[in-house]
Amino acid sequence: MGAVVVAALVSGCKAQAVDSDGKAQPPVRISTTKPGDGDKKGADNGSDTSDKGGEKPGGADTPAAAPKPQPKTLLDRGASGPQVRELQARLRQIAWFFENPSDKYGDSTATAVKGFQGKRGLPRTGTTDTVTWQKLLGMTHKPTKFELYSGGGIPPSKPDPRCLNGRVLCISKASRTLTWMIDGKAVSTMDVRFGSQYTPTRDGTFEVYWKSRHHVSTLYDTAMPYAMFFSGGQAVHYSSDFAATGYNGASHGCVNVRDEKKIASLFAQVRNGDKVVVYK
C-alpha cells in the first residue's frame, strides 16, 4: 500500500485518510477529551460509579467516628486515702506540690493539679481524672516509702524479737521510727533519723548508760537536748535541725528525734540500764 495522506478538516473534529489511488479510508475520530478524563459510565454495564450522597462505590456508607470517652474522675476535693498520698508525692517529684504528702485532698492539692493540667494543655479542673493520672504516671516514678512519708509518720516496722521483753527503746532503720516498748507493748512511737554513710549509727543491742537533759556536744559544739547515751558518744536526743529540715540532713551517728514533746516525755520515763535495740 502506498503512503497515506491525511487531510484534516479544520472546521470539524475528524480527519479522513486517502491512499495514493485516491480511495477513501475509514474515518479517524479525533478525541477532544482531555487526558485523564474518563467516561463516567461503567465499562461493562453502564453503571454510574460516581460518588453520590456521601456513598462510596458500591453504595457502602462511610462509618461515623466513634465518640471519645469522657475522662473518669478518680480523686477530687474531700477525698482521702493512700492514692491521695501517692498523687501528692508524685506531684512533689516534679515541683508542683511543696507540702509533705498526707492522705487529704484539699485546696493545695487541687491547686497543684490545676497547675499540672494547665502546663499539659488539659482542662484546669483541679480534679484528678484518668487522663491527668496517666500523664502524671508517665512523668514520675513510683514513690518510695520515704517520699510518701517525707514529713514522718511512717508506720513502724514489726518489732525486732529483742524488743519484746522488758523496757526497750526499739529503733528501726527500715521505718525510721523509735518505739518505746514495755513488756512487748508499744507505749509511744516517734520519727527518727540516723547518721550518714560516713558516720553511721551502730546496729546492735545496748543499754542507756547516761542521761543528760541539757547536753552540748564538745566535739561538734551543738546542743543535744534530752540526750540518752547508749554506745560511746552516740545517743538518742532531740534535734532542732531535724525538726526544721526533716530527712534532708543526717546526724553524726546519734539517733535524732524531731518531736520535742514526745522525747521530753520519753526522757522522763527511761532509766539508766534500759535496753536499746537498733536494727535494720
Side-chain angles (χ1 to χ4, degrees):
M1 180 178 290
V4 177
V5 180
V6 179
L9 301 179
V10 177
S11 59
C13 57
K14 65 181 180 177
Q16 192 169 13
V18 295
D19 60 18
S20 57
D21 298 327
K23 292 181 179 180
Q25 299 297 312
V28 178
R29 181 181 300 273
I30 300 176
S31 174
T32 59
T33 305
K34 296 180 181 179
D37 288 350
D39 194 344
K40 296 294 184 181
K41 299 293 182 181
D44 295 327
N45 56 17
S47 62
D48 190 349
T49 60
S50 61
D51 194 6
K52 292 182 179 180
E55 295 182 357
K56 290 185 175 180
D61 292 337
T62 303
K68 278 189 175 183
Q70 292 297 313
K72 180 182 176 181
T73 297
L74 299 176
L75 299 167
D76 202 352
R77 289 175 179 83
S80 61
Q83 192 174 7
V84 175
R85 186 179 291 272
E86 181 179 349
L87 167 69
Q88 294 166 337
R90 287 181 180 273
L91 288 168
R92 202 168 189 259
Q93 289 174 13
I94 53 176
W96 279 109
F97 189 76
F98 301 98
E99 300 176 10
N100 290 315
S102 66
D103 59 356
K104 306 296 182 185
Y105 200 120
D107 290 340
S108 57
T109 304
T111 299
V113 171
K114 277 185 182 180
F116 175 80
Q117 290 170 327
K119 186 73 173 180
R120 271 88 209 159
L122 302 174
R124 291 170 51 87
T125 61
T127 296
T128 303
D129 54 35
T130 49
V131 174
T132 301
W133 182 247
Q134 289 302 316
K135 285 276 188 184
L136 185 59
L137 291 183
M139 297 181 63
T140 56
H141 62 261
K142 184 174 179 60
T144 65
K145 177 170 57 177
F146 300 125
E147 286 178 318
L148 291 170
Y149 293 90
S150 60
I154 299 176
S157 299
K158 182 179 179 180
D160 185 278
R162 293 169 291 177
C163 298
L164 301 179
N165 297 307
R167 298 162 56 87
V168 189
L169 294 173
C170 192
I171 302 170
S172 167
K173 287 185 174 179
S175 61
R176 295 180 179 176
T177 55
L178 182 160
T179 302
W180 171 229
M181 302 187 69
I182 299 178
D183 296 330
K185 294 183 179 180
V187 178
S188 62
T189 299
M190 56 205 73
D191 300 329
V192 294
R193 72 177 183 184
F194 304 95
S196 69
Q197 66 180 92
Y198 305 106
T199 56
T201 303
R202 290 183 280 275
D203 298 340
T205 303
F206 313 93
E207 289 184 357
V208 175
Y209 69 87
W210 181 34
K211 295 172 59 180
S212 179
R213 167 66 181 83
H214 301 287
H215 194 80
V216 176
S217 170
T218 55
L219 184 60
Y220 300 106
D221 194 29
T222 55
M224 298 170 55
Y226 305 103
M228 293 172 279
F229 289 88
F230 62 87
S231 176
Q234 294 189 353
V236 175
H237 68 85
Y238 171 69
S239 169
S240 58
D241 180 70
F242 183 24
T245 63
Y247 293 107
N248 292 323
S251 75
H252 292 98
C254 288
V255 178
N256 291 165
V257 178
R258 85 161 94 208
D259 191 316
E260 188 172 9
K261 288 184 178 179
K262 284 188 175 182
I263 195 171
S265 175
L266 180 64
F267 185 87
Q269 298 175 62
V270 171
R271 308 168 189 160
N272 287 342
D274 285 344
K275 190 189 305 182
V276 178
V277 176
V278 182
Y279 64 103
K280 293 178 180 176

